[in-house]
Every structure is written in structure tokens, then in C-alpha cells.
Amino acid sequence: MNELISEEDAAAGRRLQLGFLGVGWIGRHRMKAILDSGVAEAAAIADPSADMAREAQALAPDARIVADLAAMFDQNLDGIVIATPSANHAEQSIRALGAGFAVFCQKPLGRTAAEVKAVVDASRTADRLLGVDLSYRHTEGMQQIRQLIRSNALGSIFAVDLTFHNAYGPDKPWFYDKNQSGGGCVIDLGVHLVDLALWCLDFPSVINVTSALRAGGKRLESKDRVEDFAAATLTLAGGEIIRLTCSWRLHAGCDAEIGADFFGTEGGASFRNVDGSFYDFAAVRMSGTSSETLALPPDNWGGRAAVDWARRLARGERYDPACENFIAVAEAIDGIYGAGG
């Protein structure tokens, strides 16, 4: 079993040795962010595409290209970063944790709450750090909004409106295969929205869910198809109402529409993308008819979740009970699918 980096090694400045499983666009982006942070080195790379593996190796010429996850277990690694199709996330994470490696995985961690719970259980049993790429938590705007909410500066939050419309939709076939993806725009985009709301509100229980799922504008009735539009309302234990909509290929008039609005008894806060961008966000605090800017672009947030996990691992952190909140998010997603028929 792999041993954690020791306190002596960390104090001496030894960089983590990481494996990168799946190095398509997002896998390479997270890999570059971690390498640029200086906290880790890429020791092993694995991808079914030889071209993708070579592109990743260009970022880390000393990394070894290996065949698959099993081959990574033979390397002297501190952790493994997983960016493979969604159907593989839970199984690969469980295997890596069981072999003694810390894991950072792309979202969703699993296609169902049962899969997510199994990964969290594996992290607890192995006493290894588990991270998930819920990247919007690490934007400057959402960090500021969460601080306002948790300090009670907005009073009691009673309503949250969430939006994520991707006017393009995924370009890989597996996203449209429910067995591979676990679902459509809800599990792809809605997972970020649900996570942001519950994370800001300190993960209260969801007591009721209603939803409507559509595919091609019509009610989703086939169990084999995935939704490309969803609207849902979640009622929380304290009476708070979360409303969300998400979609692929909506006629949005721009590349994307992304937003999270929080309304409290003493004020509100809004996080929104700028000019249809997938990357640029602004955040404002609202009071009556006036507003105050909290954050503006540029903000290089995309790789921060991965870097945060790597830095925590370098400090010797092990199982974190907070990862059990991943289950709460997955249960809410299950609820949206269940209520939508």
C-alpha cells in the first residue's frame, strides 16, 4: 500500500508524485494547474488515446506513460487525478483509494448517490484524501458570497435561483449514453448548481423535490434517453426554496448563461457570467434597489479545486469527513431525476 507523504518530506519541500488518469482537455488543464502550482510533479500518465497521452507528456517530459489505472499502482505515487468518462469515476476512485492513493476526481463522483456513497466509504476506510472538481466553489465571486451568507450579513436566506445553460452541449458521444453518463444536463451542469446552493447554506437537508425533464422540447419518457433541459424546485429543511434550470443547446443567444442568486431577509447576492462567457464571472451584493460589486474578472479559477486538493495532500491530510457532503449533492440529483419521472 502506498504511504502518505511524510511530515519530514513535506518540510523538506519534496513535491508530490501524482498520476493522471484521463488527459483530455479538462484532464490536461487540471494537470497543468497542479504542475504550475509547484506542489507536485506528474510521475505517470494514462489515457486510451496515445495522442492525448503525448500531449500531456509535453507538459511533464519526465512523466511515464503507462497503460491504465492498474499500471499506476506500480508507480511510487502519492495520489491519482481522475478525468475519465463519468461511468468510470466511482469504480476507478474506489480502486485507487483501496490501493492506498489519495484521489481527485472530475464531477460527478458517481452516477447515483449509491455510487458516491461507496467512494466516500472507500476514502474513509483507506483514510485517504478525496477531492472532487466542484470548481465553481473556488471562484472569487462565490467565495465572497458564501462568506456573506455564513456571517449572516444577508440575514436568513429563504430563496436561491440557479441557472446553467450551455448553448453548445457536450461533443462526446458518451454524454448521451445514460449508462455512461448517468443522465444529461442535470448531472453534467446541475450538479454544480446544487452543490453551490447547499455548500453556501452549510448543507441543510432536502425534504422535497419537484422537477420537469425535457428532451428535444418534449417530456422525457424513455429511460434510455438523457434530458437536455431541466427545471427543478428543492425545498430545504429550514423552508428555503431552491429553484434551478439547466440545459444543453438552448437558444440562449450566447455561449452560456450561468447564475446563482441568493435572497435573504437583510439583502441578496448574485453570481453571474459576463457577456455569455464560460470563464468570466461577476458577483454583486444587493440591498433594495442598489448593488455593490464583490468580484470582477479576470479570475483564473478553473484549476483551483485541483490545486487546493494537492496542497492539502502535501500537508499530509487524510480522510476528510466533509467529503460526506458529496453524498448530499448526489442525493439531491437523484431526487431531481426521481421526481421528473
Side-chain angles (χ1 to χ4, degrees):
M1 179 174 284
N2 182 63
E3 292 298 326
L4 285 170
I5 184 171
S6 69
E7 293 183 6
E8 292 78 8
D9 283 343
R14 182 179 81 80
R15 290 196 286 182
L16 295 172
Q17 301 296 300
L18 299 179
F20 291 85
L21 179 68
V23 285
W25 180 87
I26 198 163
R28 290 197 308 278
H29 183 277
R30 300 318 190 236
M31 175 180 168
K32 185 177 187 302
I34 291 174
L35 299 183
D36 287 349
S37 75
V39 74
E41 297 176 351
I45 295 167
D47 194 286
S49 166
D51 289 340
M52 293 295 99
R54 283 193 293 269
E55 284 192 45
Q57 193 180 38
L59 299 174
D62 294 333
R64 182 178 181 184
I65 295 178
V66 300
D68 51 24
L69 179 60
M72 284 193 174
F73 295 165
D74 296 329
Q75 312 302 309
N76 185 26
L77 303 177
D78 299 295
I80 296 175
V81 178
I82 297 173
T84 56
S86 297
N88 300 328
H89 289 178
E91 183 264 340
Q92 290 172 338
S93 295
I94 290 168
R95 287 175 59 198
L97 290 162
F101 301 95
V103 166
F104 181 81
C105 187
Q106 269 305 307
K107 58 79 191 170
L109 184 57
R111 294 167 294 180
T112 64
E115 286 190 352
V116 173
K117 183 178 184 300
V119 181
V120 172
D121 288 346
S123 174
R124 184 189 304 109
T125 299
D127 194 20
R128 291 297 186 263
L129 187 64
L130 171 64
V132 177
D133 197 9
L134 295 165
S135 52
Y136 292 90
R137 290 187 186 187
H138 295 265
T139 58
E140 176 63 23
M142 283 310 308
Q143 288 281 325
Q144 295 250 16
I145 289 173
R146 184 175 188 249
Q147 183 176 352
L148 287 175
I149 292 171
R150 292 171 70 87
S151 68
N152 206 37
L154 304 180
S156 297
I157 301 298
F158 59 87
V160 184
D161 285 342
L162 306 163
T163 304
F164 200 146
H165 299 307
N166 178 344
Y168 294 100
D171 59 358
K172 295 181 174 61
W174 66 262
F175 276 93
Y176 304 92
D177 178 346
K178 190 172 183 180
N179 289 329
Q180 288 291 304
S181 63
C185 61
V186 171
I187 201 164
D188 179 37
L189 308 176
V191 63
H192 285 299
L193 303 179
V194 172
D195 177 70
L196 284 180
L198 296 184
W199 174 69
C200 283
L201 300 177
D202 203 22
F203 290 94
S205 298
V206 177
I207 62 172
N208 188 60
V209 180
T210 61
S211 66
L213 307 178
R214 298 287 185 266
K218 297 180 180 179
R219 179 181 178 185
L220 184 68
E221 295 182 343
S222 170
K223 293 182 179 180
D224 297 325
R225 294 189 69 185
V226 299
E227 76 287 353
D228 58 25
F229 178 90
T233 300
L234 286 66
T235 304
L236 307 184
E240 306 93 331
I241 299 295
I242 297 174
R243 300 184 304 177
L244 70 87
T245 57
C246 58
S247 69
W248 292 335
R249 297 184 306 280
L250 190 75
H251 298 288
C254 56
D255 289 352
E257 183 181 344
I258 306 168
D261 299 326
F262 296 82
F263 301 101
T265 55
E266 302 298 327
S270 179
F271 172 80
R272 292 191 171 275
N273 65 322
V274 177
D275 295 331
S277 172
F278 283 101
Y279 309 106
D280 293 334
F281 292 90
V284 299
R285 178 178 181 175
M286 300 161 322
S287 179
T289 59
S290 64
S291 63
E292 170 193 353
T293 300
L294 297 173
L296 290 171
D299 178 22
N300 187 23
W301 55 273
R304 284 183 188 149
V307 173
D308 178 69
W309 168 83
R311 286 175 173 157
R312 293 175 62 199
L313 181 59
R315 293 195 296 266
E317 292 192 32
R318 294 174 176 262
Y319 172 73
D320 180 1
C323 74
E324 294 169 19
N325 292 327
F326 301 148
I327 304 172
V329 174
E331 288 174 341
I333 297 295
D334 279 3
I336 293 172
Y337 282 122

